[in-house]
Amino acid sequence: MPPPPEFSALLLDIEGTITSISFVKDQLFPYAYDHVERYLQEHFEDGGLQGIISDLRGLAKEQLLLDPDQVRIVRDNKAEAIEDLVHNVRHWINTDKKLTAMKALQGLIWEEAYRRGDVKGHLYPDVLPVLELLCKRSPPTPIYIYSSGSVHAQKLLFTHSINGDITGKLSGYFDTNVGLKGEAESYKSICRQIGRDASEVLFLTDVEAEARAANEAGLQVRLVVRQGNAPLSEEAKKDFIVIHTLDDII
Ligand SMILES: CSCCC(=O)C(=O)COP(=O)(O)O
Ligand SMILES: [Mg+2]
């Protein structure tokens, strides 16, 4: 194992890196799938949802061009709009699409589940001890999150985690409003926003395309392997240092 990396800021992916894929796929996604219709019925007129519905209408028009057999244009009438929105959102959940407006709606739906205690954000056992160590360094090493899940959904997961509220350990959150995770420009933008040179930032992810994009942007990168993750390609294992626990970065 190579020596631990030197870094002055840590950027973390969530699913497959610090949280199990099974928590997201077997608990969060089914909850959103099952509750999206009721949520839209109950909240359709809410101010906070209106912008998201408008974004979902625009998204349907874009996605229809790529996926004409499955995506529906969202009709104007409320009952028909809900029918179309539910159809599209369920299709995007089933196909694990990382679409910003759909992720924003998922975050709102999950809020109820977390608040009622129906779900708790999963964290691997090595995560909190390493975050605590980094926070105790002098000066503390700031820790940021970059996930396809909305910032709202991220904050919910860390507020209602199996280790309690760990948001005090985190310095900031980024979602796909900053750009897609497979694009180098997104990582450059994050580094600008956190005021760090890319070479000082360590990014941890389970996804090869994200690792390559961050590497292209000049960040240090480790690929994280967890039980239940998709297998890494031979090329990825050759090109990146692979770790199995966050202990390997300290
Ligand atoms: C923020 S919790 C929900 C996770 C999610 O919706 C998702 O798509 C996970 O993507 P990630 O970029 O964290 O691998
Ligand atoms: Mg991931």
Side-chain angles (χ1 to χ4, degrees):
M1 176 57 70
E6 284 181 22
F7 55 96
S8 73
L10 179 64
L11 182 64
L12 292 170
D13 165 61
I14 296 181
E15 183 191 11
T17 298
I18 57 173
T19 294
S20 71
I21 290 182
S22 136
F23 169 65
V24 176
K25 295 263 161 69
D26 300 336
Q27 293 193 53
L28 290 183
F29 286 2
Y31 189 94
Y33 187 100
D34 291 345
H35 292 266
V36 60
E37 183 168 10
R38 181 193 50 77
Y39 189 89
L40 287 171
Q41 303 273 16
E42 288 176 6
H43 298 277
F44 196 80
E45 277 84 20
D46 291 3
L49 196 57
Q50 281 303 308
I52 294 174
I53 290 176
S54 163
D55 289 346
L56 286 167
R57 285 182 186 282
L59 186 60
K61 287 183 189 153
E62 285 167 27
Q63 291 291 313
L64 184 74
L65 302 173
L66 305 170
D67 192 5
D69 294 339
Q70 293 295 336
V71 175
R72 288 187 192 167
I73 289 294
V74 180
R75 289 167 287 175
D76 289 333
N77 165 280
K78 176 178 167 182
E80 289 174 334
I82 290 176
E83 206 182 295
D84 299 332
L85 287 164
V86 169
H87 171 90
N88 288 345
V89 167
R90 284 184 172 159
H91 171 58
W92 293 329
I93 290 172
N94 282 340
T95 48
D96 194 12
K97 287 281 186 298
K98 310 292 191 188
L99 301 166
T100 306
M102 191 267 284
K103 291 286 173 188
L105 177 61
Q106 279 183 334
L108 294 180
I109 299 169
W110 292 331
E111 184 170 345
E112 301 177 326
Y114 282 112
R115 288 202 194 289
R116 285 208 298 249
D118 290 349
V119 293
K120 283 203 184 298
H122 174 259
L123 293 172
Y124 285 107
D126 49 282
V127 175
L128 183 57
V130 170
L131 302 195
E132 280 172 340
L133 272 174
L134 293 174
C135 289
K136 280 189 195 138
R137 277 184 178 172
S138 182
T141 303
I143 302 153
Y144 300 92
I145 303 294
Y146 181 28
S147 169
S148 303
S150 68
V151 165
H152 182 58
Q154 297 172 26
K155 288 180 178 169
L156 287 166
L157 189 155
F158 296 117
T159 303
H160 305 275
S161 89
I162 56 173
N163 296 134
D165 181 351
I166 68 152
T167 52
K169 312 274 175 264
L170 302 171
S171 296
Y173 307 84
F174 297 92
D175 61 21
T176 50
N177 282 299
V178 81
L180 294 174
K181 294 182 79 183
E183 291 176 2
E185 194 47 51
S186 309
Y187 299 86
K188 291 183 189 167
S189 172
I190 290 172
C191 291
R192 280 195 297 275
Q193 291 185 52
I194 67 177
R196 302 275 163 169
D197 191 86
S199 63
E200 295 172 36
V201 181
L202 174 65
F203 176 53
L204 306 187
T205 181
D206 60 317
V207 173
E208 180 179 345
E210 296 173 11
R212 293 200 184 281
N215 183 57
E216 189 188 328
L219 285 77
Q220 300 179 61
V221 177
R222 296 288 182 271
L223 269 172
V224 181
V225 169
R226 301 285 193 179
Q227 206 177 0
N229 283 11
L232 294 173
S233 70
E234 287 308 312
E235 221 181 355
K237 286 189 263 186
K238 188 163 56 67
D239 293 346
F240 293 96
I241 297 171
V242 174
I243 62 172
H244 293 79
T245 160
L246 266 56
D247 295 331
D248 292 339
I249 66 165
I250 50 169

